[in-house]
Each structure stands twice: as structure tokens, then as C-alpha cells.
Amino acid sequence: MRAKHDFDMVMGAQAVFRLLLDSLANPGRQAGIARYEGQFKRCGRWLAPAITLLDNETGFYWNGDPDVADEICFLTGSSLASLDRADFVFLPEPADPGEILRSVKPGSDEDPHDSAMIIAGTGGRPGANATLRGPGIPPEGRDVPFSTAERAWLEARDEQGYEYPCGVELVFFRDGGEILSVTRKVAIRWAM
Amino acid sequence: MKDFNFAFLDEGSKRAIRRALLKAVAIPGYQVPFGSRELPIGRGWGTGGIQVTLAIIGDGDVLKVMDQGSDDSVNAISIRNFVMACTGVRTTTDSEAATLIQSRHRIPEIPMRNDQILVLQVPLPEPLRMTEELESVTKKMHAEMDYAIMWLALYENIVRVGEIELGADYPVMVEGRYIMAPSPIPRFDNPKLHMSETLCLFGAGREKKIYALPPYTDVRSLCFEDHPFRVEDMSGRVCHLCGARDVYMDEFFDSASGDRLFQCSDSGYCEKRRRAASHE
């Protein structure tokens, strides 16, 4: 019998989860996920976190190749969902941040955990530096260079004006196989 | 190892717990509900912490388990043996050598680092339960940040006995938003949570709640301007084994001599100090 992927569904998923946990616990700090790319025939950078996070209790939104969405459904038992119902929003293709953020679920004051996590591919030109402050970040702040696409996401998030504890988590997948997260409580100040 | 999945839990259970953990980290101090699983240990014996540990542990981790500071209590040994049996990870009693520390009722004396994770077992995750018994009401109180009844309870405590009587499990305010139960750690350990470099994960198996404090989170023990928070007074106490001062001590009474003895509550810390002293 030949395995369809080389990804270890137990130890690989554990390792990817720890990367995500570390990333969300330390917003603005990069974590490498590139090593899992080659463990799938294609789209490993998306399949690895999908397998780690999704199951039949979750719904996900996908704006990329429909065959990959089918693969995710097959591997996880999860199903595609509309933006306003999706627990996880995977965006391998460019998307309008404002439109996405207006549609996804931000949770409620009583159930802020019932909110979306947006995982967006954000390659492209270097944009601007910003200083992040908030939980997970040392008191002096964390200076992070963001691409233009990431800046668009973060500005759209601030424009959306979620009132904490409502909000969404943003996980950026960068071209070099790195992930970087910004959680809902993190404040962003752009360098002039 | 061959008879069950790595880290005992099935992958579906781990996935559900992991999702809850990520939300908990994103919303510090907020109690995320989760489907607490059955374990070969009765609820109330650390199953919340164990489930968190099993969901995050990997084969490269080095695990330390402590119970009220001790590595040698029945609870600590049983949990350590269980996790070892179903993961094969290395274990240690040295908090600095561990990557993952599961603890009941203490935070290690040596400050933890950013590359470590602390998992705390929680019997009663709801700090408002002392004033309100209905979960539906406390949930709404958290949503509306309506903590007046908590402040009133603390105030009445001061009026009645002159100070806030709470010992362990002294409530804290997280990021100015959520009142949180820090688990039954002594007040002595509360300040260690404030701006800690370490990710702290809290698991309540019986109550089916998970919550978290990411590194560098603002955590303030509740108090009033004219009644500041204070920790247990350990001044003048010296560990009879290692000579340590200014750490949290257990007190023993020698019935033969009538002497009171003090000993480091954190047995790993005490052992490390004694080992270092014997090498000098």
C-alpha cells in the first residue's frame, strides 16, 4: 500500500500545532513551516495546518484550487463553509481583506471563541515596519516588517473596529515558508 | 506504547483540545469550553492538565510534573508515569531542563523561559463561582465585564475581618478585561504570572474549560488602593535542607523536639541547590 502523503498525521500534526501555538502565543514572531511543504504532493503549506486543525466539527472557507479543497475535505472530514460560517478561512489566493473581514464571524461578547481564524498567503513586496504591543509581546514592543499585503490585512482589521474580546486571528503564510500571527488583542503602530 | 496512540488521546480529541488552546491563547483569561475526554484517571485528579499536556506534547519534549511543588507525591509520580508510558518522552525534576512542566498548585521557583510551557491543573476555573452559582449568569457577567459582585465580595471580606481572606486561587485581572482563577497556587506565586516569559495553559477537566496566559500578559491580583495585594510572608524562614530564603516554604512540626521546620515547597529547586552545594 502506498501512502498518499509523507506527512505523519500524529507526530507531524503535533509539530505543526506547536508551531501555530508558538506563533499565536508570540505574535509577530516568525516560525518556519517550510519543512512540511515537501511532505505533500502539492500545497503542503496549506494541507499541513488544515490536517492539524480541521475535522468534521469544523467548517472551512477556501479561495484556491477546488481540487485542494476536496483533498482537505477527504483528509480531515471537514466541509466547505461560507465565509460567515467558516471556523477557518484559508486564502491561498489574493483576497480583499475588507470584504473578508466584513463577512467572517468575529464571535460575540459571550462566546468570543466562536470566531474565525484567517490563514492568508501574503507574499509580495516589502511594505512597512510596525511595532506590535499586547499579550505575547515583550513590554518594549516587537518591531516587525510587514509586506504590502499584510499591511492591507492589518489596516482592514483595525478599520473593522472589532471590540475586544470579539475579533479574528490572522495567520500570514509568507513566501519563504514562514508563518506569522497577529492575535485580536495586539495593537499595531506603523513606523512613519 | 503499541497498545494505544501516541499521547493516549485519539487524534480527533487532540485536534479539538488544540483548537480550544489556540482560542484560549488568543483571548487571555477567557475560559474556552471543550469536550473533556475520559482518561484512566478520575476527574478531579488533574485530568484537565493531563489532557492539555497530552494534546501538546511531542517526542522531543522533556517533561516535569510537580504536585504542590513536589516531584515525589503520588499524584505527580502517577501522572509522570502515565505520560511517559504513552509518549516515551524524557522526564526531569529540574525545571530549567524541562520544556514542558505540568503542575498542580505551584509555579516553579526558578523563573521560566519563553521556550518553556507551563500547564496548570485547575479544579475550579470560574472565579465568580464564589458569588454566583449559575454558569449561564457568570458567563454573562464575563461578557459584560460585570464584576461588581466580585469586588463587593472582596470588600465585604475586608469589612468583616480586616483583609481579603483568600489564600490559594486568589483571583487576578487579565489584560484589564477578564477576572481569572490562577488555579490554587498560593498568593506567593501570583506575581510570577504577571509579564511571565512563559506560556501558561490552564486545564479544568471536570469543569470542561481551558484558558491561557500568553507570555508577557498583564496579570494583576485583585485588590483595593487602601488594601494592596500581599503575598504570604516567608521572611525569616530558612529551608532546613538547602538553606534557601525568600521562597515558598512548607512547614513541618517535629513532635519529639517541638521544633517548627521549614522546607522548600519546590522540591526540584531544593534538590538542585543541595546538589550544587555538594559539588562546591
Side-chain angles (χ1 to χ4, degrees):
Chain A
M1 193 172 75
R2 281 185 58 204
K4 201 167 180 188
H5 305 293
D6 294 328
F7 185 74
D8 186 326
M9 298 288 209
V10 177
M11 306 312 293
Q14 184 275 336
V16 171
F17 167 72
R18 283 288 281 271
L19 283 177
L20 287 166
L21 182 68
D22 185 64
S23 179
L24 284 160
N26 298 277
R29 193 164 81 185
Q30 286 201 143
I33 201 165
R35 81 189 89 150
Y36 303 101
E37 180 98 49
Q39 297 180 5
F40 296 88
K41 291 219 168 27
R42 58 178 179 154
C43 289
R45 63 193 305 204
W46 299 95
L47 287 170
I51 287 173
T52 302
L53 297 169
L54 300 180
D55 61 19
N56 59 355
E57 293 176 0
T58 57
F60 73 101
Y61 178 87
W62 174 265
N63 78 343
D65 182 346
D67 288 346
V68 179
D70 289 344
E71 184 77 2
I72 292 174
C73 293
F74 172 74
L75 288 169
T76 65
S78 183
S79 48
L80 283 165
S82 57
L83 267 178
D84 61 331
R85 298 176 69 89
D87 302 297
F88 296 91
V89 176
F90 292 94
L91 302 170
E93 300 298 329
D96 178 350
E99 192 182 320
I100 299 285
L101 290 171
R102 276 191 293 278
S103 305
V104 297
K105 54 181 184 179
S108 63
D109 286 343
E110 283 203 24
D111 293 307
H113 64 283
D114 188 19
S115 51
M117 177 182 286
I118 297 173
I119 302 169
T122 56
R125 292 178 292 122
N129 286 0
T131 303
L132 307 187
R133 291 186 196 280
I137 299 164
E140 65 273 18
R142 179 171 285 140
D143 294 330
V144 183
F146 287 106
S147 71
T148 48
E150 289 163 348
R151 181 169 185 165
W153 275 106
L154 295 169
E155 288 181 341
R157 183 197 78 148
D158 288 349
E159 275 172 29
Q160 190 63 27
Y162 298 118
E163 189 174 346
Y164 185 79
C166 297
V168 295
E169 273 58 66
L170 294 169
V171 181
F172 299 135
F173 273 29
R174 298 180 148 184
D175 277 348
E178 309 283 341
I179 58 171
L180 182 148
S181 304
V182 178
T183 50
R184 64 189 70 186
K185 188 81 170 78
V186 169
I188 300 158
R189 186 169 183 187
W190 295 100
M192 300 303 283
Chain B
M1 282 283 283
K2 288 177 183 167
D3 298 331
F4 38 77
N5 193 27
F6 176 82
F8 190 79
L9 296 172
D10 61 278
E11 290 306 301
S13 297
K14 285 187 202 168
R15 223 172 272 129
I17 295 167
R18 287 168 181 168
R19 286 196 299 265
L21 284 167
L22 294 182
K23 286 297 177 197
V25 167
I27 315 167
Y30 170 71
Q31 299 166 50
V32 182
F34 81 109
S36 184
R37 268 55 180 177
E38 294 291 337
L39 289 175
I41 295 172
R43 291 236 166 100
W45 290 90
T47 56
I50 295 171
Q51 287 177 80
V52 170
T53 295
L54 294 176
I56 66 176
I57 199 165
D59 52 5
D61 276 313
V62 180
L63 176 72
K64 172 182 167 76
V65 181
M66 55 196 277
D67 172 18
Q68 303 229 25
S70 172
D71 294 276
D72 308 318
S73 77
V74 172
N75 194 248
I77 291 170
S78 299
I79 293 172
R80 183 163 58 241
N81 287 347
F82 170 62
V83 179
M84 264 173 65
C86 63
T87 62
V89 298
R90 286 186 297 140
T91 62
T92 182
T93 58
D94 180 355
S95 69
E96 289 181 290
T99 58
L100 180 58
I101 299 179
Q102 178 172 332
S103 174
R104 170 176 174 267
H105 303 189
R106 276 311 312 275
I107 296 175
E109 295 294 353
I110 299 172
M112 290 179 66
R113 304 181 306 269
N114 185 253
D115 61 341
Q116 297 176 301
I117 297 177
L118 175 64
V119 177
L120 283 157
Q121 301 168 205
V122 183
L124 296 169
E126 180 51 76
L128 304 176
R129 192 64 70 228
M130 69 168 108
T131 57
E132 171 54 57
E133 63 185 25
L134 288 176
E135 173 70 13
S136 56
V137 176
T138 54
K139 194 166 174 59
K140 194 168 183 191
M141 289 163 73
H142 281 298
E144 296 174 353
M145 210 182 154
D146 174 11
Y147 294 138
I149 196 167
M150 179 60 131
W151 290 110
L152 186 62
L154 299 179
Y155 171 73
E156 283 179 343
N157 207 190
I158 291 171
V159 169
R160 208 165 48 243
V161 297
E163 67 171 331
I164 298 170
E165 284 182 301
L166 299 172
D169 214 358
Y170 190 101
V172 295
M173 178 69 84
V174 178
E175 287 289 331
R177 177 59 182 83
Y178 283 108
I179 287 183
M180 187 194 92
S183 84
I185 56 174
R187 282 179 296 168
F188 189 87
D189 284 346
N190 273 27
K192 296 177 187 171
L193 294 172
H194 178 61
M195 289 293 163
S196 160
E197 286 185 25
T198 303
L199 170 63
C200 300
L201 305 173
F202 300 77
R206 190 176 46 199
E207 302 288 324
K208 304 174 181 65
K209 295 283 175 58
I210 282 173
Y211 51 104
L213 295 173
Y216 310 110
T217 296
D218 187 272
V219 181
R220 313 268 178 174
S221 300
L222 300 187
C223 64
F224 297 96
E225 274 178 21
D226 54 346
H227 277 84
F229 172 76
R230 64 182 181 87
V231 301
E232 293 88 347
D233 184 11
M234 294 291 146
S235 58
R237 298 185 176 188
V238 181
C239 175
H240 75 107
L241 295 175
C242 73
R245 296 168 184 270
D246 300 323
V247 296
Y248 193 75
M249 301 277 183
D250 291 335
E251 185 176 345
F252 298 91
F253 180 71
D254 186 334
S255 56
S257 65
D259 291 340
R260 286 164 72 207
L261 298 172
F262 296 103
Q263 185 175 318
C264 297
S265 157
D266 184 342
S267 65
Y269 170 79
C270 190
E271 182 191 337
K272 195 171 184 178
R273 278 178 54 88
R274 279 179 281 152
R275 216 173 27 240
S278 71
H279 289 148
E280 280 174 2

